[in-house]
Structure formats: C-alpha cells, structure tokens
C-alpha cells in the first residue's frame, strides 16, 4: 500500500510544461517534477548537443531566468519556457521581430481601458491550478478577483457560490494583511525619522553625508540617462515602485524577482533615486519574495503529508489510548 501511495504522490508532483528553442515557434509538451529533470528532457526532445550544455530555462513571455526549484513549483501548469543553449542569449526578437515588450505594455493598457474581464479569468485559472498561488498574486490581481461577481467567479472555477464567497473573503484578508504591513512599515519609518531629527551632531553629520551621496548619485544619473534602456521592468512596475509606499507588497512574485535581478545603478537611474535607496528597495523585494516562496513551499509540504496520510487511511489502526497510572 505504501509503495502505491508514494508512486501516486510522484505522479501528482509532475508539472506539465511547454518547451521551445530560441527563435522558434514549434512547442513541445513535457512533464517534469524539478528543473534538473526538465533540462534533461529539453535536451533530448529539442536535440541539443551535449557540447552546448548546460542549458538555461527562461519564461517565454518575458525572459525571466528560472533556476530555482521552489520558484518552478510555484509556476502554473503549462507554463511556456524557452530553452537557451550555453552559447545563446535571450532576446525579445525571438518570435515577434523585437516588439514583445511593446505588445506586452499595449496589452496591459488595453486591459485597463477595456475593463478587467479577460484579466480576472486568467488569474482565476491560475488559482484553479493551485490555490496556494494566492500568496504570489499582486495586490491588483487580488482586488480584481474580489470585485468579480460571485456567480461569475463560481462558474469559472466550477465551484459553488458559498465556496467562492469564502475564497473572496480569504483574498480580502490577504489584501488587508498587506495593507496592515504597509502601515506598520510607514509608522516605523516615521519613528526612525523622528529619532534622526532628535539625534546628536554625529547623526546630523551622517545625514549630511547621505544627502551628499544622494546628490552625487543624482549627478551620475543625469549624465547616464541613456542607460535606462537596460531596464527590463515595465512602465507599470516602475510606477508602482515610485509611487506606492512599501511597493514590494503591491507587486506579484514574478515582478519582485525581476526587480531583484536589475542592476542597482541602472534601476536607480530609471527611478531617479540615489543608489542607497534603490539597494534598500531591492533588498525589501528580495525579502518579500523569499517569504512568499517559503509560504508556498510550506503549503506544498502540508499537501504532500496529507496525501500520504490519505493513501494509508484505508489500513486499520488501533486507537491510541492514554497510559493508565498505577492502581
């Protein structure tokens, strides 16, 4: 019985994915339980010579490098990957003549202008694949699902209205928790600012030095405006980083990863910020991403334990009895 249960758990752990080579439209469907297995199958199916290994897996839609198994497990089923040989680099011209970034931003704008009808269905399908992906959603995606009429969302998820109402309540709780975390951070920043104002001459000198450093960074930013082309973040993400307090709480996990991988100097130029402030932002994004991935991994572990227990539930067990004291 145990062997069968373990085999079923392994089968359930397989994630269906779509693979293609760079500059190619031909896709291949495979299933893998980890990145190492996916790379191995990619080399076999796409006939990549061993001399061109190791290969790199990137998301087809934006070129994000996927090299972490925890992040791979968080991705929805049938995620599209581009397989890059060791002598290849990701380019946006792989399938649309170099206009992928324009298409993506145009899609985002159209989505906003025409309402969130298409968007909420895409997010709902992601939840249908794995409910733990709630943790990875941006605040905007959470709000979109909360605003959808319960009957429409129930139809899309193939669930009852009562179940979906509970789901929407959970989404609201996640959104409220992020807002509470944001307010806590703002209060902490105000407290630290008050301490700085009441500090000694030494603290004032440190503030003056930091101010001088920011001014120097701003001068460097002004002389290197052409470097902003190196940024791969969308205009929407940059706006959130500039305008939102504690922006790491507003972004999706995919956007958080992209922020952490940006060059600090190039990102500072794009945001018109000092280098120190930009590095602090990237560190906050990294911490938030790590926290979400840990939560998703914990949920996956709990599900695996629950599945193993369910497979053994058919075996008769003697009830546990409390130890009797000496008579």
């Amino acid at each position: 019985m145990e062997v069968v249960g373990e085999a079923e758990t392994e089968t359930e752990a397989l994630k269906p994915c779509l693979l293609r080579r760079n500059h190619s439209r031909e896709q291949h469907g495979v299933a893998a339980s980890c990145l190492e297995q996916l790379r191995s199958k990619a080399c076999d199916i796409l006939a990549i010579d061993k001399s061109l290994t190791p290969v790199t897996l990137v998301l087809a839609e934006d070129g994000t490098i996927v090299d972490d198994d925890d992040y791979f497990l968080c991705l929805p089923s049938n995620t599209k990957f581009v397989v890059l040989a060791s002598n290849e680099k990701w380019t946006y011209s792989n399938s649309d003549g170099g206009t992928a970034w324009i298409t993506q931003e145009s899609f985002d704008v159209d989505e906003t202008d025409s309402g969130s009808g298409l968007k909420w269905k895409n997010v709902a399908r992601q939840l249908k694949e794995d409910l733990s992906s709630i943790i990875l959603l941006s605040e905007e995606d959470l709000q979109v699902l909360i605003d959808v009429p319960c009957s429409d969302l129930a139809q899309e998820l193939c669930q009852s209205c009562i179940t979906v109402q509970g789901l929407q309540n959970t989404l609201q709780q996640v959104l409220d928790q992020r807002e509470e975390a944001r307010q806590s951070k703002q209060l902490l920043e105000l407290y630290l600012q008050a301490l700085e104002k009441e500090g000694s001459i030494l603290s004032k000198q440190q503030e003056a030095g930091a101010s001088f450093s920011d001014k120097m960074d701003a001068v460097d930013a002004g002389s290197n405006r052409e470097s902003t082309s190196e940024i791969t973040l969308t205009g929407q993400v940059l706006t959130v980083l500039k305008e939102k307090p504690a922006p790491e709480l507003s972004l999706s996990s995919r956007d958080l990863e992209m922020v952490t991988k940006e060059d600090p100097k190039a990102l500072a130029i794009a945001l018109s910020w000092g280098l120190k402030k930009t590095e602090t932002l990237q560190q906050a994004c990294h911490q938030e991403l790590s926290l979400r991935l840990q939560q998703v991994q914990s949920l996956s572990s709990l599900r695996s334990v629950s599945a193993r227990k369910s497979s053994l539930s058919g075996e008769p067990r003697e009830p546990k009895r409390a130890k009797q004291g000496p008579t």
Side-chain angles (χ1 to χ4, degrees):
M1 292 294 293
E2 292 185 8
V3 175
V4 174
E6 291 179 359
E8 290 178 353
T9 302
E10 288 185 6
T11 303
E12 291 177 357
L14 291 174
K15 181 186 291 294
C17 306
L18 297 174
L19 301 176
R20 66 175 173 84
R21 291 294 301 273
N22 206 15
H23 304 289
S24 173
R25 292 180 180 271
E26 184 178 352
Q27 295 186 141
H28 298 266
V30 299
S33 59
C34 63
L35 285 175
E36 183 178 357
Q37 187 180 31
L38 185 60
R39 291 191 191 98
S40 177
K41 289 188 175 184
C43 291
D44 294 339
I45 293 175
L46 300 176
I48 299 176
D49 191 87
K50 291 184 178 180
S51 62
L52 299 178
T53 58
V55 297
T56 302
L57 298 173
V58 303
L59 296 180
E61 61 183 19
D62 59 13
T64 298
I65 298 175
V66 181
D67 52 9
D68 180 79
D69 274 311
D70 291 335
Y71 185 73
F72 169 71
L73 294 175
C74 296
L75 294 173
S77 298
N78 295 316
T79 295
K80 296 181 180 181
F81 292 91
V82 174
V83 183
L84 302 176
S86 59
N87 62 342
E88 294 178 333
K89 290 185 178 180
W90 164 260
T91 57
Y92 282 111
S93 60
N94 63 316
S95 61
D96 60 3
T99 59
W101 64 275
I102 297 176
T103 303
Q104 178 62 34
E105 289 195 347
S106 300
F107 175 76
D108 292 340
V109 172
D110 292 342
E111 225 175 41
T112 304
D113 293 341
S114 61
S116 54
L118 177 61
K119 185 171 185 176
W120 78 260
K121 290 187 177 181
N122 290 334
V123 180
R125 292 188 190 108
Q126 185 177 343
L127 284 187
K128 192 174 181 180
E129 293 285 346
D130 185 4
L131 271 178
S132 64
S133 61
I134 290 175
I135 301 170
L136 307 176
L137 296 178
S138 66
E139 286 184 326
E140 181 184 357
D141 291 340
L142 290 170
Q143 191 63 58
V144 164
L145 290 181
I146 292 171
D147 294 338
V148 173
C150 182
S151 57
D152 293 347
L153 187 56
Q155 183 177 0
E156 184 67 29
L157 296 177
C158 301
Q159 298 289 338
S160 67
C161 283
I162 297 178
T163 301
V164 170
Q165 185 61 58
L167 172 62
Q168 288 182 314
N169 291 337
T170 301
L171 295 173
Q172 185 64 57
Q173 290 175 6
V174 174
L175 200 59
D176 292 342
Q177 288 171 359
R178 293 193 189 179
E179 182 59 32
E180 289 173 3
R182 177 182 290 106
Q183 292 178 3
S184 298
K185 288 188 176 184
Q186 286 179 294
L187 289 174
L188 180 59
E189 289 176 0
L190 291 173
Y191 177 70
L192 293 176
Q193 289 174 7
L195 288 180
E196 288 179 0
K197 290 180 180 179
E198 297 175 0
S200 62
I201 297 176
L202 177 60
S203 65
K204 291 181 180 180
Q205 291 175 344
Q206 290 174 343
E207 289 175 8
S211 177
F212 176 76
S213 176
D214 289 341
K215 288 180 180 178
M216 291 302 296
D217 290 337
V219 172
D220 292 340
S223 61
N224 294 283
R225 288 295 176 184
E226 65 277 4
S227 299
T228 56
S229 60
E230 299 175 5
I231 294 294
T232 58
L233 299 175
T234 64
Q236 183 180 1
V237 173
L238 289 174
T239 301
V240 171
L241 294 177
K242 286 181 180 180
E243 299 179 358
K244 282 275 190 179
E248 66 275 8
L249 299 174
S250 299
L251 298 175
S252 68
S253 296
R254 182 175 299 174
D255 290 335
L256 288 173
E257 184 179 26
M258 292 179 67
V259 172
T260 59
K261 290 185 177 181
E262 289 290 354
D263 177 68
K265 292 182 179 179
L267 183 57
I269 293 171
L271 296 173
S272 300
W273 284 1
L275 182 59
K276 184 177 180 181
K277 183 178 180 180
T278 303
E279 290 176 339
T280 301
L281 169 69
Q282 288 183 300
Q283 184 179 6
C285 289
H286 176 73
Q287 291 173 350
E288 177 66 19
L289 178 62
S290 299
L291 176 61
R292 294 187 194 180
L293 292 180
Q294 287 173 7
Q295 291 172 337
V296 171
Q297 188 173 16
S298 298
L299 289 174
S300 299
S301 299
L302 288 173
R303 280 201 297 267
S304 298
V305 172
S306 177
R308 285 197 293 270
K309 287 184 177 180
S310 298
S311 66
L312 299 174
S313 60
E315 298 181 2
R317 294 183 179 180
E318 294 184 1
K320 294 183 179 180
R321 301 181 183 275
K323 295 182 179 179
Q324 294 181 353
T327 55

